[in-house]
Amino acid sequence: MIILASESSIRARLLRNSGISVIVKKSTINEYEVAKNIDNPLAKELAQKLAEEKSKEVSLRYPHALIIGCDQVLEFEGKILHKPIHMKDAYNRLLSFSGKKHDLHSAVAFFENAQKIWSYVESASIFIRPLHSYQIHSYLARVGIDVLKTIGVYQIEGEGIQLIEKINGDYFTIAGLPLLPLLVKLRELRIIND
């Protein structure tokens, strides 16, 4: 049995579309508490720690399953950003991203019997096109409060792709799951077959 320790429908869909049958069980860890307990964390380090903690917590509840934990951290101008709280935050975030680059660090971890089997972090850079205030307002009005579920205030599988000018990195990393390295590791572990 493979359990995804995430309520992200995008991550679950990516795994299922690749032929991996997963059960979804949300982790109950407090991400802010985990971040607070790391002194001056690097964004990549925080993403990896969060993925590992989520996987470990669910593994304690389901010890005989393989648990896949994931997380993503956004880094902008040397700062780690969290999900926006309300639409004004979303607007301000997109305004600050306008014409600039930010980095997404996506991590994945496997645990079984509360023991770490593997973890991995991959990064991608996203360049947001120059945006005017009216474009941001119009975009947010069309997509609605669902953008508050994403740290970047966009989903590249949806209309958010129109905000992006250029990407350096992998699509799956931006979607929140370094899928290709994950599949390689599942084959190495003989959890899935060629």
Side-chain angles (χ1 to χ4, degrees):
M1 179 168 63
I2 300 175
I3 295 175
L4 175 62
S6 170
E7 63 181 347
S8 165
S9 60
I10 294 164
R11 289 181 180 126
R13 187 170 60 242
L14 289 173
L15 287 167
R16 289 176 180 140
N17 286 348
S18 70
I20 309 296
S21 178
V22 294
I23 297 167
V24 174
K25 298 290 179 184
K26 183 181 183 227
S27 166
T28 60
I29 70 154
N30 183 322
E31 295 180 22
Y32 298 103
E33 287 297 316
V34 172
K36 209 166 54 172
N37 291 326
I38 304 173
D39 291 330
N40 300 315
L42 299 173
K44 287 176 88 166
E45 175 187 297
L46 179 58
Q48 186 168 21
K49 181 70 172 170
L50 288 168
E52 289 174 0
E53 290 296 319
K54 287 178 178 181
S55 185
K56 183 177 182 179
E57 188 276 325
V58 174
S59 183
L60 289 168
R61 289 187 276 144
Y62 300 92
H64 300 296
L66 176 71
I67 312 299
I68 299 175
C70 310
D71 211 299
Q72 186 178 63
V73 171
L74 189 148
E75 183 178 11
F76 177 63
E77 296 182 338
K79 294 185 179 121
I80 293 171
L81 301 183
H82 300 284
K83 291 175 184 171
I85 298 167
H86 44 65
M87 293 303 273
K88 186 174 182 183
D89 275 353
Y91 171 84
N92 289 333
R93 179 154 309 171
L94 287 177
L95 190 62
S96 66
F97 283 175
S98 175
K100 297 179 183 172
K101 171 188 87 87
H102 62 273
D103 297 301
L104 289 172
H105 307 285
S106 292
V108 60
F110 296 164
F111 271 70
E112 192 170 35
N113 285 317
Q115 298 296 312
K116 182 169 80 170
I117 297 170
W118 177 76
S119 69
Y120 179 81
V121 182
E122 192 161 273
S123 302
S125 297
I126 293 84
F127 298 79
I128 300 295
R129 68 186 178 94
L131 299 168
H132 295 284
S133 179
Y134 74 89
Q135 292 169 311
I136 297 171
H137 281 299
S138 177
Y139 165 74
L140 292 174
R142 286 191 310 275
V143 297
I145 62 170
D146 277 352
V147 296
L148 301 180
K149 297 176 185 175
T150 65
I151 54 177
V153 195
Y154 56 82
Q155 294 173 320
I156 67 166
E157 67 279 5
E159 195 174 332
I161 191 66
Q162 292 191 37
L163 305 175
I164 298 170
E165 187 170 72
K166 179 178 148 185
I167 292 170
N168 288 342
D170 183 74
Y171 168 86
F172 300 112
T173 299
I174 297 164
L177 178 68
L179 184 62
L180 298 176
L182 181 149
L183 292 173
V184 167
K185 194 64 181 178
L186 287 173
R187 284 191 297 270
E188 282 177 8
L189 296 171
R190 297 178 187 257
I191 294 165
I192 61 173
N193 299 316
D194 286 326

